[in-house]
Amino acid sequence: MRVYPPPRSSYHLFIFLLLLSLFPLSLLARPFVLVLSQDDLKDVQNDDASPLESDSSWDDDDDFGGTHVKSDDELDPGSWRRLFEPSTSPVSPSLDSYYTAVDKMISASTHGDSRLMEESAVEIETAANTEGDPHARSVLGFLYGMGIMRERNKAKNFLNHYFAAEGGNAQSKMALAYTYSRQDMYEKAVKLYAELAEIAVNSFLITKDSPVIEPIRIHNGAEENKEALKKSRGEDDEDFQILEYQAQKGNAGAMYKMGLFYYFGLRGLRRDHSKALMWFLKAVDKGEPRSLELLGEIYARGAGVERNYTKALEWLSLASEHGLYSAYNGMGYLFVKGYGVEKNYTKAKEYFEKAADNDDAGGHYNLGVMYLKGIGVKKDVKIACKCFIVAANAGQPKAFYQLAKMFHTGVGLKKNLPMASALYKLVAERGPWSSLSRWALESYLKGDMGKAFLLYSRMAELGYEIAQSNAAWILDKYGDRSMCMGESGVCIDAERHQRAHSLWWQASEQGNEHAALLIGDAYYYGRGTVRDYDRAAEAYIHAKSQSNAQAMFNLGYMHEHGQGLPFDLHLAKRYYDQALELDPAAKLPVTLALASLWVRKNYADSFLVHIIDSLPEVYPRVEAWVENVIMEEGNATILTLFVCLLTVLYLRERQRRHAVAAPAAAGALQPNEHVVAAAGR
């Protein structure tokens, strides 16, 4: 992600919006940082000549969120949801052939069945080209983009996604927006991301921000991320089972947590609004006040029950009386919309102010909307902007959406399409299509690497950095077990390396330093691509810009040997020193590297330098010899017995020498004894 440097003038006002609260960040991905200066805060006149009036994207009904409550199937048409989360809602007969073909594709990925995969690809292509099904076009675009049973073709990938998006497929819109943003075509990217972010915003809560359900990073570099995976096993998780037992025994806090887990689909659980309602009601009966607010939310949205605004207001009022200030947002929302009550902007503003006065981010956001639109107050874009900044700084995603619109339209902030696109993307990635990550993780935890890889690959095409990283890691870690499908069957090694390389590269573009490091290694060693020291250096420099110690060490090595970078011992030492400063664990390799530098500087072209330079060639041979000869089961046993025999012989010889030495030492003492005896006389 880009970091926009602030101006140097001392009078500028800097506002740092750290989006850490929107997405919990892994050490592998750098934080997105938005820096606003006084130059960004556009001088505006708060009059009726504002662009707000002429831009439909500022429609009142869309800004408080939660207005258009639709099912995920409606928001994400053509989704694979009904294949993973069977629904009782009827399926249009026109989609039967589409879902049958997708089901075959998923099954083929599980079993590595190239014949079935080809059959599904033909059916998808028929539905796309003959029947004009936009959802089949979307999947066909995916097949061409990945090179699955079709020759990889970027043009056909783009065209199929373009027509699918025109036909209303949201996932193709995500894929197109990501493609446009990679090519710096922000005019087109921002339009699509804005539409998708609006869908995501309207699925958010009306009272407070919902927990972030972030895609899980299944690895932490070289190893599996066991801690994160342990917390994602749903009802099979031991901690969840303990919590459920406590809830069944009457623990109010446990009941509330059970309701939260089922309502939001946390800890690897499937969302179940009926179970959530049951646990929240039980928690309220036990005196747990936090459930009151969620019950108000459930009745306002009609989640698992018939929508009832009167009951919603009753629950929210009770919650506010118990000091849950975010409940005032729901109450204000009902009054500003006139849902279950008569519209009353004055009362709505009072409720929003109560929430804001108690440091609730949602309160600041809702006040910002009122001032932006002049709803019950005099329109003031500057005050609105300040409210959104405070809310965004506290992690309110709807505030990110409003700031994105300001950067997009130039209202309140100077027009900045790259920034608008980045902010819209962050919000859009929380849309219903993010369910792909949950299904992929479930498959991975069940050991179904083929299905997990397919789902992560689909999500990677939509621009999710974590999915790109996860898919690449599965390819590198599990090899043939990934069931990777190539152009004519199961991937050969070259196809698998090339696909992993492409996925790592995309992840590195979005700030994944481990990915940039692996790209550098691929070019340096020629893994899956032609060896290219220059491009390896570029990748390491990219990783180094993200403060990666390993990349700095590698750059020092390349400067020391003049590989892809100028031969420069001073720069090599600087990089080695920086690597040690960043990672104290690098002390041993850095010490050895500095010793190598000293030898190279003081004994240039000597025998020692030639030995040092030959180590990279000798080491793999020694390693292979140890692995193939020494570590072979029979040889290892013989070697172990031989070492044991030598140890026994050594100990026997040592014992014998001690036995011989003891009498000699005793004899050597006798003359002294006579002397002592004589002295006694």
Side-chain angles (χ1 to χ4, degrees):
M1 286 294 182
R2 294 184 182 177
V3 178
Y4 291 81
R8 296 182 180 178
S9 305
S10 59
Y11 59 84
H12 280 142
L13 172 65
F14 304 125
I15 305 165
F16 296 89
L17 302 179
L18 302 179
L19 308 193
L20 299 174
S21 50
L22 179 59
F23 284 109
L25 293 167
S26 163
L27 293 175
L28 299 176
R30 312 308 299 172
F32 178 95
V33 180
L34 171 63
V35 181
L36 298 183
S37 75
Q38 189 66 38
D39 288 342
D40 293 312
L41 302 177
K42 182 179 178 182
D43 290 330
V44 294
Q45 298 297 322
N46 298 305
D47 54 27
D48 295 332
S50 168
L52 293 174
E53 312 302 332
S54 59
D55 191 339
S56 61
S57 69
W58 295 95
D59 183 359
D60 288 355
D61 289 338
D62 293 332
D63 288 313
F64 290 96
T67 305
H68 310 299
V69 181
K70 297 181 180 179
S71 69
D72 285 346
D73 286 330
E74 293 176 286
L75 296 173
D76 186 17
S79 162
W80 302 348
R81 181 170 288 99
R82 62 183 64 255
L83 299 176
F84 290 92
E85 301 176 16
S87 172
T88 56
S89 58
V91 182
S92 171
S94 63
L95 293 177
D96 284 342
S97 59
Y98 162 72
Y99 279 115
T100 299
V102 172
D103 193 30
K104 286 182 181 179
M105 180 181 70
I106 293 171
S107 178
S109 68
T110 294
H111 302 101
D113 188 338
S114 57
R115 183 196 59 79
L116 186 60
M117 183 64 79
E118 174 60 27
E119 184 180 326
S120 70
V122 169
E123 292 179 7
I124 288 167
E125 191 164 25
T126 301
N129 296 334
T130 305
E131 302 170 18
D133 182 356
H135 311 312
R137 282 194 180 279
S138 179
V139 178
L140 185 59
F142 167 64
L143 296 179
Y144 275 116
M146 295 298 293
I148 299 176
M149 308 313 293
R150 294 291 180 272
E151 184 179 356
R152 193 174 184 188
N153 189 312
K154 290 185 178 180
K156 290 184 178 181
N157 164 259
F158 176 82
L159 284 174
N160 278 287
H161 278 309
Y162 178 83
F163 288 116
E166 289 289 307
N169 187 278
Q171 293 187 25
S172 279
K173 291 178 183 179
M174 281 288 287
L176 277 180
Y178 175 59
T179 299
Y180 287 139
S181 64
R182 288 187 74 194
Q183 299 173 3
D184 295 338
M185 300 170 67
Y186 295 112
E187 286 278 359
K188 294 183 177 181
V190 78
K191 182 180 178 181
L192 289 167
Y193 275 137
E195 180 183 342
L196 295 159
E198 182 180 346
I199 294 173
V201 164
N202 282 319
S203 68
F204 294 166
L205 301 189
I206 61 173
T207 54
K208 61 181 181 180
D209 185 26
S210 58
V212 175
I213 306 175
E214 184 199 12
I216 300 296
R217 196 179 298 278
I218 61 177
H219 66 97
N220 51 20
E223 300 298 329
E224 190 176 65
N225 191 356
K226 296 186 183 299
E227 187 62 31
L229 294 175
K230 179 185 175 184
K231 296 178 180 178
S232 306
R233 296 186 179 276
E235 295 180 347
D236 294 330
D237 178 31
E238 185 178 337
D239 291 340
F240 174 81
Q241 292 171 357
I242 293 172
L243 182 71
E244 185 178 34
Y245 175 78
Q246 292 173 337
Q248 291 170 345
K249 289 296 183 181
N251 185 303
M255 291 175 178
Y256 169 70
K257 288 183 179 179
M258 289 290 292
L260 275 183
F261 288 175
Y262 278 116
Y263 188 75
F264 294 111
L266 303 177
R267 300 289 292 253
L269 289 174
R270 291 282 175 86
R271 282 183 297 176
D272 190 324
H273 291 152
S274 298
K275 285 186 178 180
L277 178 64
M278 176 194 72
W279 284 115
F280 285 142
L281 288 172
K282 286 186 176 183
V284 166
D285 289 341
K286 289 288 185 178
E288 169 54 67
R290 292 174 294 177
S291 295
L292 296 167
E293 184 178 3
L294 272 302
L295 286 169
E297 184 76 40
I298 284 174
Y299 279 102
R301 299 183 68 84
V305 295
E306 185 177 351
R307 183 176 293 181
N308 189 321
Y309 291 120
T310 303
K311 280 190 175 182
L313 184 60
E314 291 174 1
W315 286 116
L316 292 170
S317 299
L318 283 172
S320 65
E321 291 171 7
H322 283 81
L324 297 167
Y325 301 113
S326 55
Y328 284 120
N329 289 310
M331 297 166 68
Y333 170 83
L334 296 177
F335 277 99
V336 84
K337 293 291 186 182
Y339 290 158
V341 293
E342 186 177 347
K343 272 191 179 182
N344 189 326
Y345 294 146
T346 302
K347 185 164 282 190
K349 180 173 178 285
E350 289 176 1
Y351 285 135
F352 293 150
E353 285 177 336
K354 284 183 178 181
D357 289 343
N358 287 279
D359 297 323
D360 181 78
H364 289 289
Y365 169 80
N366 290 322
L367 284 174
V369 173
M370 296 192 80
Y371 278 106
L372 182 69
K373 302 297 186 62
I375 301 174
V377 296
K378 183 180 178 180
K379 184 170 64 178
D380 194 319
V381 177
K382 286 186 176 180
I383 292 179
C385 187
K386 290 178 181 177
C387 288
F388 293 145
I389 287 171
V390 171
N393 207 28
Q396 234 295 346
K398 287 185 283 189
F400 300 137
Y401 174 64
Q402 292 296 343
L403 289 171
K405 285 211 288 187
M406 287 180 155
F407 278 120
H408 183 189
T409 59
V411 173
L413 294 169
K414 286 188 177 179
K415 197 168 185 176
N416 186 330
L417 295 186
M419 184 63 72
S421 180
L423 288 171
Y424 277 140
K425 181 176 185 287
L426 285 171
V427 180
E429 286 184 344
R430 295 183 67 175
W433 35 87
S434 64
S435 295
L436 283 164
S437 175
R438 183 168 68 249
W439 307 329
L441 181 62
E442 287 176 0
S443 302
Y444 180 85
L445 291 172
K446 292 175 182 176
D448 191 342
M449 299 305 161
K451 187 185 294 184
F453 173 69
L454 181 77
L455 293 169
Y456 278 132
S457 296
R458 173 62 165 175
M459 200 175 182
E461 190 183 37
L462 309 188
Y464 287 82
E465 179 273 319
I466 288 182
Q468 293 162 354
S469 172
N470 285 349
W473 190 80
I474 288 175
L475 283 174
D476 285 346
K477 178 73 173 179
Y478 293 98
D480 292 339
R481 283 187 61 199
S482 67
M483 302 299 177
C484 166
M485 287 291 175
E487 295 180 0
S488 57
V490 177
C491 288
I492 60 175
D493 287 346
E495 285 180 307
R496 193 167 59 247
H497 286 310
Q498 188 277 331
R499 195 170 297 179
H501 180 84
S502 175
L503 289 164
W504 283 126
W505 186 262
Q506 292 175 56
S508 72
E509 289 178 340
Q510 299 198 71
N512 187 313
E513 64 184 49
H514 178 69
L517 191 64
L518 286 176
I519 291 295
D521 289 347
Y523 279 121
Y524 187 88
Y525 295 107
R527 295 172 183 164
T529 185
V530 178
R531 177 175 287 187
D532 189 330
Y533 290 140
D534 292 335
R535 298 195 71 174
E538 290 176 9
Y540 289 144
I541 289 171
H542 182 54
K544 171 250 181 186
S545 68
Q546 299 164 10
S547 301
N548 184 283
Q550 180 66 58
M552 290 180 178
F553 183 90
N554 293 352
L555 288 170
Y557 184 88
M558 295 180 80
H559 272 299
E560 180 184 352
H561 294 83
Q563 295 174 332
L565 292 171
F567 177 78
D568 192 323
L569 298 184
H570 294 289
L571 274 178
K573 184 178 186 304
R574 182 181 302 175
Y575 278 124
Y576 288 144
D577 289 340
Q578 288 177 353
L580 184 58
E581 288 174 11
L582 277 174
D583 186 2
K587 186 172 183 178
L588 178 59
V590 168
T591 301
L592 294 173
L594 292 175
S596 171
L597 277 182
W598 183 85
V599 171
R600 195 176 299 278
K601 182 178 179 181
N602 294 280
Y603 298 96
D605 298 324
S606 69
F607 177 67
L608 287 174
V609 172
H610 292 308
I611 290 177
I612 292 171
D613 289 340
S614 68
L615 287 177
E617 297 178 4
V618 172
Y619 176 75
R621 297 174 188 171
V622 173
E623 186 180 38
W625 182 78
V626 169
E627 182 177 351
N628 298 329
V629 180
I630 301 299
M631 297 311 295
E632 189 176 337
E633 185 175 352
N635 293 345
T637 303
I638 294 171
L639 181 63
T640 303
L641 292 173
F642 182 68
V643 170
C644 291
L645 178 61
L646 289 177
T647 304
V648 170
L649 291 174
Y650 169 74
L651 293 175
R652 289 284 301 273
E653 178 63 19
R654 185 179 177 186
Q655 185 180 19
R656 186 187 66 78
R657 290 183 180 180
H658 277 290
V660 171
L669 287 173
Q670 290 177 2
N672 292 331
E673 291 172 359
H674 290 302
V675 171
V676 173
R681 293 195 188 95

